[in-house]
Amino acid sequence: MSSDEQKTNQQWGGRFNEPTDAFVARFTASIDFDKRLYAQDIRGSQAHARMLNKVGVLSDEELKAIIEGLDQIRGEIERGEIDWSIELEDIHMNIEARLTDRIGITGKKLHTGRSRNDQVATDIRLYLRDEIDLLLAEITRLQQGLLEVAEREADTIMPGFTHLQTAQPVTFGHHLMAWFEMLSRDYGRLSDCRARLNYSPLGAAALAGTTYPIDRAYSAELLEFSAPTANSLDSVSDRDFAIEFCAAASLIMTHLSRMSEELVLWTSAQFDFIDLPDRFCTGSSIMPQKKNPDVPELVRGKSGRVNGHLIALLTLMKSQPLAYNKDNQEDKEPLFDTVDTLKGCLRAYADMVPAIQSKGEQMREAARRGFSTATDLADYLVRKGMPFRDAHEVVGKAVALGVKTGLDLAEMELAQLQQFSDTITSDVFDVLTLEGSVNARDHIGGTAPAQVRSAVATARAQLAARA
């Protein structure tokens, strides 16, 4: 064991009579992953120092030394000049030790009235708040891309599916607006999560608060939190805000995975509905004809990764007594990876979606082949006075004839349709066309091109209001 490995951590080692085992030091250290919190840790420490100065614990000179010292350390970190120490365990101790090296004993006064417990809880909230803001911007960018394509494809007819069987004709623009609505709810969930986490644990100290005359409202204001948290035990011990974020992230990834599944299907030779640009695809090492939709496939796969992180955090918290436990060191890696994964997937989709090219003729032919206007024929008969169940039977017989003859309903002769009901007259062909079907659904939320364009306009106003 080297002399460095034999050192006791001077930040907390006074009670100990022997150094930490070298393996245990490495096993319990978190600096390798929590160093990404450096900016939030420095910001929180500067706010804490300003609060200590306000209540008379630090002098103006001491505050100036701490603020300037932390600014210099931030610069060193960003320039890659810091050698992180495992013996100092985490980002908090590494920065504090570096500050003390720089400004002397004044650096040791920074930790007055706080603990690593409230410090890390504050850092994670600040970090997650920053990341949520970036993720919300990426969701908005993706939605803007969807609106571009949806407006362009407002008249493009495709089959709508249930059970992956042709159901009724819809427009491609309408389908993409369904994706938009999913993402709008995702945006709302992330916004709600941000509001709930935006409370400051700083000043809760280890678990019971502190005897110093701190001003928690002031430090919360400096850090742009809504208010201080209300209970010191709860402040340091729960990570429900991180779990809530991962739950929202899992839902976003579920939506992106469903979109991915459709893109994979639509780019296949069997569907051939759309084309994705080459830059979002790859080829095969053995089959020269292949163009694989790797980005959607990988996003679909990464949904399992994010779901796993949610379960990991739920399991991490489920049996912990109040207040803080070392278990909570395990909150960061799942959270960080969830943030990174979600951010990457949203970026990929925001870049890719505007470049989707539809193949309108193939979409239209697929809608034509599946008797997708059968419900329109039933509705036509009901409007003529026939009970719906009787209309359902009539249309079923007409479809059976279509299956036998290879004719779509719109391709049949009037006489062929009239053998099932003399209620049918020549005006039936106004509703049996694909255009007639989609145009007839001209109400809020319907697939009619006019409604798609109206939905796009409303959605653009919603996005503009976010700014």
Side-chain angles (χ1 to χ4, degrees), residues 83-97:
D83 292 324
W84 303 111
S85 168
I86 288 178
E87 286 71 38
L88 292 171
E89 300 180 25
D90 55 34
I91 186 64
H92 326 295
M93 292 303 191
N94 269 267
I95 289 178
E96 183 179 327

Side-chain angles (χ1 to χ4, degrees), residues 242-453:
I243 294 171
E244 181 180 0
F245 168 79
C246 288
S250 292
L251 277 169
I252 297 171
M253 289 301 299
T254 295
H255 286 153
L256 292 179
S257 183
R258 295 184 71 189
M259 297 174 198
S260 295
E261 175 72 6
E262 292 188 316
L263 291 175
V264 170
L265 288 172
W266 293 345
T267 56
S268 69
Q270 289 71 30
F271 278 75
D272 197 28
F273 284 0
I274 65 167
D275 187 52
L276 294 177
D278 290 351
R279 62 185 180 276
F280 297 104
C281 303
T282 63
S284 165
S285 63
I286 190 173
M287 295 169 285
Q289 84 281 8
K290 294 293 293 298
K291 179 178 176 181
N292 300 322
D294 277 18
V295 168
E297 288 176 346
L298 192 56
V299 170
R300 184 177 60 186
K302 286 181 181 292
S303 63
R305 179 178 184 144
V306 172
N307 288 348
H309 292 325
L310 170 61
I311 299 303
L313 288 180
L314 285 167
T315 307
L316 175 71
M317 293 304 304
K318 75 175 184 65
S319 298
Q320 287 194 43
L322 299 179
Y324 181 83
N325 300 277
K326 189 68 169 178
D327 311 44
N328 280 348
Q329 183 170 294
E330 290 295 302
D331 63 354
K332 297 171 192 63
E333 289 175 289
L335 178 62
F336 293 163
D337 190 68
T338 296
V339 167
D340 292 344
T341 301
L342 181 56
K343 195 187 303 182
C345 291
L346 286 171
R347 176 181 174 179
Y349 259 67
D351 290 345
M352 179 180 65
V353 161
I356 292 174
Q357 294 296 320
S358 70
K359 298 184 177 181
E361 288 304 313
Q362 286 90 325
M363 286 184 171
R364 180 184 175 82
E365 176 60 18
R368 187 196 66 79
R369 284 198 309 266
F371 302 102
S372 60
T373 59
T375 304
D376 296 272
L377 178 55
D379 291 342
Y380 167 86
L381 291 170
V382 168
R383 286 195 296 271
K384 295 266 187 170
M386 185 180 293
F388 181 80
R389 284 301 165 201
D390 293 339
H392 191 286
E393 182 178 0
V394 167
V395 176
K397 291 177 179 179
V399 169
L401 176 63
V403 171
K404 182 178 179 180
T405 61
L407 296 173
D408 184 68
L409 296 175
E411 297 171 331
M412 293 181 184
E413 299 291 337
L414 180 61
Q416 289 176 296
L417 293 171
Q418 286 178 328
Q419 66 182 298
F420 305 114
S421 173
D422 56 12
T423 303
I424 299 173
T425 58
S426 60
D427 62 346
V428 71
F429 295 105
D430 294 335
V431 303
L432 289 183
T433 64
L434 297 175
E435 285 77 13
S437 177
V438 296
N439 285 322
R441 288 160 171 80
D442 191 12
H443 55 74
I444 294 174
T447 190
Q451 289 297 329
V452 173
R453 293 188 176 91

